[in-house]
Amino acid sequence: MSSIYICHFLLFFSVLCAAFSVNFGDDTTDSYWLLRTKSEFVDPVGVLDNWSPRTSLCTWYGVTCSDDQTHVMGLNLSGSGLSGAISPEFSRLTSLQTFDLSSNFLSGLIPPELGQLQNLRELLLYSNSLSSNVPAEIGLLKNLQVLRIGDNMLTGQVNANVGNLTELRVLGLAYCQLNGSIPAEIGNLKHLQSLDLQKNSLSGLIPQEISGCIELQNFAASNNRLEGRIPASIGKLESLQILNLANNSLSGSIPIELGFLSNLKYLNLAGNRLNGEIPSELNQLVQLERLDLSKNSLSGTINIVNTHLKNIEVLVLSDNSLTGSTPRDLCIPNSSLHQLFLARNNLSGNFPLGLLNCSWLQELDLSDNNFVGVLPSGLDKLENLTDLLLNNNSFSGTIPLEIGNMSNLMTFYLFGNMITGRSIPVEIGKLQRLSVLYLYDNQISGTIPRELTNCSSLTAIDFFGNHLKGSIPATIGKLKNLVFLLLRQNELSGSIPPSLGYCTKLQNLVLADNRLSGTLPPTFRFLSELFLITLYNNSFEGPLPESISLLKNLSIINFSHNRFSGSVFPLSGSNSLSRLDLTNNSFSGPIPSELAMSRNLTRLRLAYNFLNGPIPPELGKLTELNFLDLSFNNFTGELAPELSNCRKLGHLLLKNNRFSGTVPPWLGSLRELGELDLSYNIFNGTVPTELGNCSRLLKLSLDSNYLSGDIPPELGNLNSLNVLNLQRNNLSGSIPLTFQQCKKLYELRLSQNLLNGSIPPGLGTLSELQVILDLSENLLSGEIPWSLGNVVKLERLNLSFNQLTGEIPQSLGKLSSLHRLNLSNNHLHGQLPPTFSGFPLSSFLGNEKLCGPPLIPCSESKGQERKWLSNTAVAWIIVAIVFTSTMICLVLIYIMLRIWCTWRKISISSSDNEDLGNNRGEEKWDFEDEVRNCDDWNMNTMALVPSQDKQIFAFSCSK
């Protein structure tokens, strides 16, 4: 029975072996090993479907057989869409001479076992995703002629054993992540014709031994980190046709030995640190077609001459420090030069007329130099020119009319010069291929010619910063390909032509800083590609067309400083909106909640309008919002708590509105806040302590509200604060000592509050305080801290209308930057610092005991009280003297009258013949004289009696 089982087992095993032989073949055959490697590949396209034991090996896709049809000589699976790994079992194909797996999606390592393929001549693995180091075993392939494994993610160094591949013709290691230096052993490769090491991270020197590659035709090591000098030994590579060492850190001068490379056609040394002059020996490179020495530090003059370099097609010398003018023989008639780039040097002189000989020239770049003078009228000799770049020089005069003859011109840069002229020449209208016209930053006046709109290929127009007048051509709509129209900062007037709406490809429209007026045309609805529109600083007016809401691609809108009115609703239709600025217009009504649909909005500026109502809570959905300015409007209500969701808010400006309620504590959660201005509203309550969490705050203005309570000491945590303004509130308590922590403060205003206590000496440590320190109109007491004299940058100091006492510290005299000072209406005394003499009296009024210039001298001040008492005594003495003198005079008058009266009596009694009436008349006359005399003395009522026994007369003197 057991023998039967054994027979059955042997039969099954033989069948299995037969099946295995059918599926995989003999393990001594190449087909066997190819079928095994097939299993490592992912073949989404099915290019390996015919790899089957049922078909002949030599018919398999990508396989090249030997003459006897038994061995694989070549395997080419390039660009087959394969992924997966490279199987080490490829090493079993011992007859393989060509192995090409390039341009696939293979990953993993390069199998070291490939070093066993001793017959291999070509190994092509480039353009995959292979990683790790290049295996050292590759150096065992003695017959290898082509090794191209670049454009992978290979790392590590170039192994020195690459020098063992003495039959190598092509070595391609470009576009990897190789590091280290180029091994000197590379010089052993005497048959090497192409060495491509571009786009790696190779460093160190280029080895002198490179001269051993005597058959080298192509040496490309650009975009690495090579340094040091270019070895002179390269000049021995007489077969060299291409030398590309661009974008490294090579230094020193260009070796003159490069002039010995008589077969060189392409020389690129751009983007290094080369210095010195361009060696004249380069003129010996008679086969040279392309020369690029740009982006170095080369100096001296240009000594490249076309008389020798007759085959030169491209000459790039931009971004150096070359001086002087361009050589006259840089171009010769019928020159092959197609591209000439001399930009960003220090070249000078007039426009080089010798360049007009380059009739085949297609691109000419003389930008960013020091060329002067007028543009030559013969410019149209360059009839093949497509790109003319003359920007950022000092060319003057007008644009030559002959520009219209340059029918192939596509790009014309003339910006940043001193071009004048009454207008842009109408001849430009002939340039049907003209695509870009940049004339900005010149002094061109006149109008924009209507003929310009004949240039149907125009995509970009920039006339910024000229003196163009008149209107925008009504035919602007003919420019169907126009993408950029930039006319900012001119003197254009009139309205926007309705035809502009037919420039349907327009993306950027910049008409700011002109004198344009009128309303926006309804044809704007056709500008569906419009991305940016700036109309600021004009005189546009009226409501916005409702159709603007159809412009869904609008991202940047700036209509500020115009006279627009009505609702801002039409501007809320674009979901792409990122910046909206309508400052200084006459818009009214509420903020449309639809603005919240523009989730990418970062800047919203609506200041200086007549907008009203509350802030829509929907704006809290604008999580990208950085700048919100609603100042100088009529907004009301409390701040919507939903705004706390705008975590990126850096500027919140709500000044001059009618917002009410308390200052919300959630403002402290806006950690990106750099500027908060809630001034001139009707906020009440206290200053929230949470504001101390806004560590990036630079400006905090809460002035002119109805805030009360103490100033929270947490504000001292604002270490970045530059401006703090809490004036014109009802704040009480003392000034927080923590303010001394705000070391970057340069403006501090706390005036017109109810603050009490003393001025903290710590304010004297705020060394950056410069604009103002204003503590006026409070209830502050105590002395002025001596430490305030350390704030030497301070320009304005106001401590007036407080209850400060003591002397003014002499240290304040060190405030040399101070140009405004007010210490008035306090209780200060003592001598002013000498440096205060230049301030007006008003700076110190209301302090009765201060002295020193500009007040009274302190010496007079010390005796002021005593001087006042002696004056009083003198006054009493004068009064006494006057009174005594008066009494003496009156006594004398009385005595004289008595004598006179006695005499009259005797005279009357002794006269027998005189008439009584006459005597009375004389009495009357004498009486009147006495009255006059009494009036002269200015006496009060007094009676004079001539005798005791008989009253002759009585009179009264009064005044």
Side-chain angles (χ1 to χ4, degrees):
M1 191 69 171
S2 60
S3 61
I4 295 175
Y5 284 129
I6 293 172
C7 289
H8 284 175
F9 176 77
L10 292 173
L11 179 62
F12 173 76
F13 183 76
S14 63
V15 171
L16 182 64
C17 289
F20 184 83
S21 176
V22 170
N23 288 326
F24 292 96
D26 187 354
D27 64 358
T28 63
T29 64
D30 287 355
S31 58
Y32 172 85
W33 295 111
L34 276 180
L35 288 175
R36 288 179 63 95
T37 60
K38 175 183 176 181
S39 62
E40 298 286 337
F41 290 137
V42 177
D43 182 15
V45 183
V47 296
L48 303 182
D49 286 351
N50 72 334
W51 284 22
S52 168
R54 291 184 293 273
T55 59
S56 171
L57 170 67
C58 298
T59 63
W60 291 3
Y61 176 81
V63 173
T64 301
C65 287
S66 60
D67 293 340
D68 60 4
Q69 305 288 302
T70 59
H71 296 289
V72 176
M73 303 291 290
L75 182 60
N76 185 354
L77 300 178
S78 176
S80 299
L82 301 174
S83 58
I86 301 174
S87 172
E89 294 179 337
F90 276 114
S91 62
R92 300 290 186 145
L93 305 175
T94 55
S95 298
L96 199 62
Q97 296 182 9
T98 301
F99 187 27
D100 189 353
L101 296 180
S102 63
S103 302
N104 281 290
F105 304 98
L106 302 174
S107 57
L109 309 178
I110 298 176
E113 290 82 357
L114 295 184
Q116 300 173 19
L117 299 174
Q118 290 299 306
N119 291 309
L120 199 62
R121 295 183 179 181
E122 295 185 11
L123 178 58
L124 309 175
L125 304 178
Y126 62 87
S127 298
N128 280 288
S129 298
L130 301 173
S131 57
S132 192
N133 296 344
V134 180
E137 287 78 2
I138 296 295
L140 301 175
L141 301 174
K142 301 292 186 179
N143 294 307
L144 198 63
Q145 296 181 5
V146 178
L147 176 60
R148 296 183 61 193
I149 55 177
D151 196 11
N152 279 289
M153 295 185 290
L154 300 174
T155 57
Q157 299 185 2
V158 180
N159 202 296
N161 62 9
V162 73
N164 298 332
L165 305 177
T166 55
E167 298 298 319
L168 204 60
R169 265 70 171 171
V170 176
L171 177 56
L173 300 175
Y175 295 90
C176 290
Q177 301 171 21
L178 301 173
N179 54 41
S181 59
I182 301 173
E185 289 78 3
I186 208 85
N188 298 335
L189 307 180
K190 299 187 182 303
H191 300 296
L192 193 64
Q193 297 175 1
S194 177
L195 175 59
D196 193 353
L197 304 175
Q198 299 178 90
K199 277 278 186 177
N200 281 286
S201 297
L202 299 173
S203 57
L205 307 177
I206 299 174
Q208 294 280 350
E209 291 81 358
I210 193 75
S211 60
C213 304
I214 56 176
E215 296 183 11
L216 196 62
Q217 297 177 14
N218 175 18
F219 178 28
S222 63
N223 296 94
N224 279 284
R225 301 174 184 173
L226 300 173
E227 56 191 12
R229 291 179 172 271
I230 299 172
S233 61
I234 288 182
K236 297 178 181 180
L237 301 176
E238 297 180 358
S239 299
L240 202 61
Q241 297 181 20
I242 297 174
L243 178 58
N244 186 357
L245 303 177
N247 300 319
N248 281 284
S249 297
L250 300 171
S251 58
S253 58
I254 299 173
I256 61 174
E257 288 80 3
L258 295 187
F260 303 152
L261 303 175
S262 57
N263 290 301
L264 200 63
K265 294 182 178 180
Y266 180 90
L267 175 58
N268 191 347
L269 305 178
N272 282 284
R273 301 175 182 175
L274 301 172
N275 53 37
E277 297 187 357
I278 301 173
S280 59
E281 286 78 5
L282 295 187
N283 288 307
Q284 301 173 20
L285 304 177
V286 294
Q287 301 296 325
L288 199 62
E289 296 175 357
R290 301 173 68 92
L291 174 61
D292 191 345
L293 305 178
S294 62
K295 298 180 181 178
N296 280 287
S297 300
L298 300 173
S299 57
T301 59
I302 299 173
N303 52 13
I304 301 296
V305 292
N306 203 190
T307 52
H308 296 286
L309 303 180
K310 295 181 180 180
N311 294 309
I312 193 78
E313 295 179 358
V314 178
L315 177 58
V316 187
L317 303 178
S318 305
D319 297 285
N320 279 288
S321 300
L322 300 173
T323 57
S325 58
T326 58
R328 294 182 180 180
D329 50 359
L330 182 59
C331 277
I332 59 174
N334 299 317
S335 169
S336 300
L337 194 61
H338 291 164
Q339 297 173 311
L340 177 60
F341 300 99
L342 304 178
R344 291 172 294 281
N345 279 286
N346 295 316
L347 300 172
S348 57
N350 293 326
F351 183 94
L353 297 178
L355 297 183
L356 302 181
N357 293 323
C358 294
S359 57
W360 292 103
L361 201 61
Q362 296 176 358
E363 296 179 60
L364 174 59
D365 188 355
L366 303 180
S367 61
D368 294 276
N369 279 287
N370 300 315
F371 290 112
V372 297
V374 300
L375 299 179
S377 58
L379 202 58
D380 56 344
K381 291 181 179 179
L382 302 176
E383 56 185 357
N384 292 299
L385 206 62
T386 60
D387 299 279
L388 178 57
L389 283 65
L390 305 176
N391 51 284
N392 294 326
N393 280 285
S394 296
F395 289 118
S396 57
T398 60
I399 301 173
L401 306 182
E402 291 78 7
I403 196 78
N405 299 329
M406 304 176 71
S407 57
N408 290 301
L409 197 61
M410 300 171 63
T411 302
F412 185 26
Y413 286 0
L414 193 54
F415 61 86
N417 280 283
M418 296 186 289
I419 301 297
T420 57
R422 295 183 178 179
S423 65
I424 299 168
V426 298
E427 286 76 7
I428 282 185
K430 300 177 184 179
L431 303 178
Q432 293 298 305
R433 299 186 63 188
L434 189 64
S435 175
V436 179
L437 179 59
Y438 285 172
L439 303 180
Y440 63 87
D441 276 334
N442 277 289
Q443 301 173 22
I444 304 172
S445 58
T447 60
I448 300 175
R450 185 187 187 95
E451 289 78 3
L452 182 64
T453 61
N454 294 329
C455 301
S456 56
S457 299
L458 271 173
T459 60
I461 295 175
D462 193 345
F463 294 164
F464 160 80
N466 280 284
H467 304 291
L468 296 170
K469 299 180 176 64
S471 59
I472 300 171
T475 55
I476 192 74
K478 293 168 61 178
L479 301 178
K480 304 295 185 184
N481 295 302
L482 199 61
V483 177
F484 300 96
L485 179 58
L486 314 176
L487 304 179
R488 182 189 157 209
Q489 200 171 313
N490 279 282
E491 300 170 25
L492 298 172
S493 57
S495 59
I496 297 176
S499 71
L500 184 62
Y502 303 126
C503 300
T504 54
K505 295 183 180 180
L506 198 62
Q507 295 180 13
N508 287 22
L509 177 61
V510 179
L511 305 179
D513 293 309
N514 277 287
R515 300 174 183 175
L516 298 169
S517 59
T519 59
L520 299 187
T523 54
F524 264 33
R525 66 183 182 274
F526 301 128
L527 301 177
S528 58
E529 300 296 320
L530 200 60
F531 172 84
L532 177 150
I533 177 170
T534 60
L535 306 178
Y536 58 87
N537 289 340
N538 278 288
S539 298
F540 292 112
E541 59 187 4
L544 302 174
E546 292 289 336
S547 57
I548 290 185
S549 62
L550 301 175
L551 306 182
K552 302 299 183 183
N553 290 313
L554 269 177
S555 178
I556 300 174
I557 302 174
N558 192 336
F559 289 177
S560 62
H561 302 280
N562 278 286
R563 302 172 187 171
F564 288 114
S565 58
S567 173
V568 302
F569 177 79
L571 298 177
S572 61
S574 172
N575 295 338
S576 303
L577 197 61
S578 64
R579 297 183 182 184
L580 176 61
D581 191 346
L582 306 179
T583 304
N584 198 10
N585 278 282
S586 297
F587 289 109
S588 58
I591 298 175
S593 59
E594 288 79 1
L595 271 178
M597 301 298 292
S598 301
R599 297 299 175 86
N600 294 318
L601 194 63
T602 60
R603 296 173 71 88
L604 178 59
R605 306 190 66 174
L606 304 176
Y608 293 94
N609 280 285
F610 300 103
L611 300 169
N612 53 38
I615 299 176
E618 290 83 358
L619 294 191
K621 298 177 182 178
L622 301 176
T623 55
E624 298 298 316
L625 196 63
N626 170 264
F627 201 116
L628 178 60
D629 186 359
L630 306 180
S631 305
F632 293 92
N633 279 285
N634 297 315
F635 291 112
T636 56
E638 299 186 5
L639 299 186
E642 289 80 0
L643 288 178
S644 63
N645 297 323
C646 303
R647 298 288 183 175
K648 295 184 179 180
L649 205 58
H651 304 266
L652 180 57
L653 311 178
L654 306 178
K655 183 177 183 178
N656 279 85
N657 280 284
R658 290 184 289 161
F659 289 112
S660 58
T662 60
V663 177
W666 54 257
L667 288 171
S669 66
L670 302 179
R671 300 302 175 88
E672 300 296 319
L673 203 61
E675 184 178 13
L676 177 62
D677 193 343
L678 306 181
S679 57
Y680 291 93
N681 281 284
I682 49 178
F683 289 108
N684 54 46
T686 60
V687 178
T689 60
E690 290 81 359
L691 289 180
N693 297 328
C694 301
S695 58
R696 297 191 177 184
L697 205 60
L698 300 176
K699 178 180 179 180
L700 176 59
S701 294
L702 304 178
D703 59 296
S704 304
N705 281 286
Y706 296 92
L707 301 175
S708 58
D710 292 351
I711 299 174
E714 287 80 3
L715 295 187
N717 297 332
L718 304 177
N719 297 327
S720 299
L721 200 63
N722 296 149
V723 176
L724 177 59
N725 190 346
L726 302 178
Q727 64 187 9
R728 289 189 288 274
N729 280 288
N730 296 315
L731 299 171
S732 57
S734 59
I735 299 174
L737 300 177
T738 56
F739 276 6
Q740 66 183 357
Q741 300 169 193
C742 303
K743 299 298 184 183
K744 296 183 180 180
L745 265 180
Y746 65 82
E747 182 175 341
L748 178 58
R749 299 175 186 263
L750 304 177
S751 65
Q752 300 181 48
N753 279 288
L754 302 172
L755 300 174
N756 54 42
S758 60
I759 300 174
L763 295 185
T765 65
L766 303 179
S767 58
E768 297 300 316
L769 205 59
Q770 178 176 348
V771 176
I772 191 171
L773 172 60
D774 190 352
L775 308 179
S776 64
E777 299 186 53
N778 279 287
L779 303 173
L780 299 173
S781 58
E783 296 185 351
I784 300 173
W786 182 275
S787 60
L788 286 187
N790 297 326
V791 191
V792 294
K793 296 180 181 180
L794 193 63
E795 297 174 354
R796 297 165 63 185
L797 175 62
N798 192 347
L799 305 178
S800 63
F801 290 93
N802 278 288
Q803 299 173 13
L804 300 173
T805 58
E807 296 185 354
I808 298 174
Q810 294 296 312
S811 63
L812 296 190
K814 298 187 299 182
L815 301 179
S816 57
S817 299
L818 205 64
H819 59 79
R820 287 192 185 181
L821 173 67
N822 195 346
L823 304 177
S824 64
N825 296 287
N826 280 286
H827 304 297
L828 302 170
H829 67 267
Q831 184 174 358
L832 293 175
T835 56
F836 282 7
S837 61
F839 291 107
L841 286 171
S842 58
S843 298
F844 311 106
L845 292 178
N847 296 281
E848 295 181 354
K849 298 182 181 180
L850 283 177
C851 65
L855 301 175
I856 60 175
C858 290
S859 58
E860 296 181 12
S861 175
K862 291 179 180 178
Q864 188 173 10
E865 183 176 355
R866 184 170 56 202
K867 180 178 179 181
W868 182 80
L869 291 173
S870 70
N871 287 343
T872 303
V874 169
W876 280 109
I877 292 172
I878 292 173
V879 171
I881 292 174
V882 171
F883 177 77
T884 304
S885 300
T886 303
M887 293 303 298
I888 293 173
C889 289
L890 290 175
V891 171
L892 290 174
I893 292 172
Y894 173 74
I895 293 173
M896 289 178 66
L897 287 175
R898 286 287 305 268
I899 295 171
W900 181 81
C901 289
T902 303
W903 179 81
R904 282 292 295 169
K905 183 177 180 181
I906 295 172
S907 175
I908 292 171
S909 64
S910 63
S911 176
D912 295 332
N913 303 319
E914 291 182 1
D915 184 67
L916 183 60
N918 291 337
N919 288 336
R920 286 178 180 172
E922 290 176 3
E923 256 187 292
K924 185 176 180 180
W925 177 262
D926 291 336
F927 173 75
E928 291 174 356
D929 288 341
E930 290 298 330
V931 171
R932 292 190 191 96
N933 195 28
C934 178
D935 187 59
D936 289 340
W937 280 99
N938 196 19
M939 292 187 297
N940 291 326
T941 302
M942 181 179 293
L944 298 180
V945 181
S947 66
Q948 294 181 356
D949 48 354
K950 187 175 182 179
Q951 181 175 344
I952 302 299
F953 63 86
F955 63 92
S956 176
C957 294
S958 65
K959 187 174 181 178

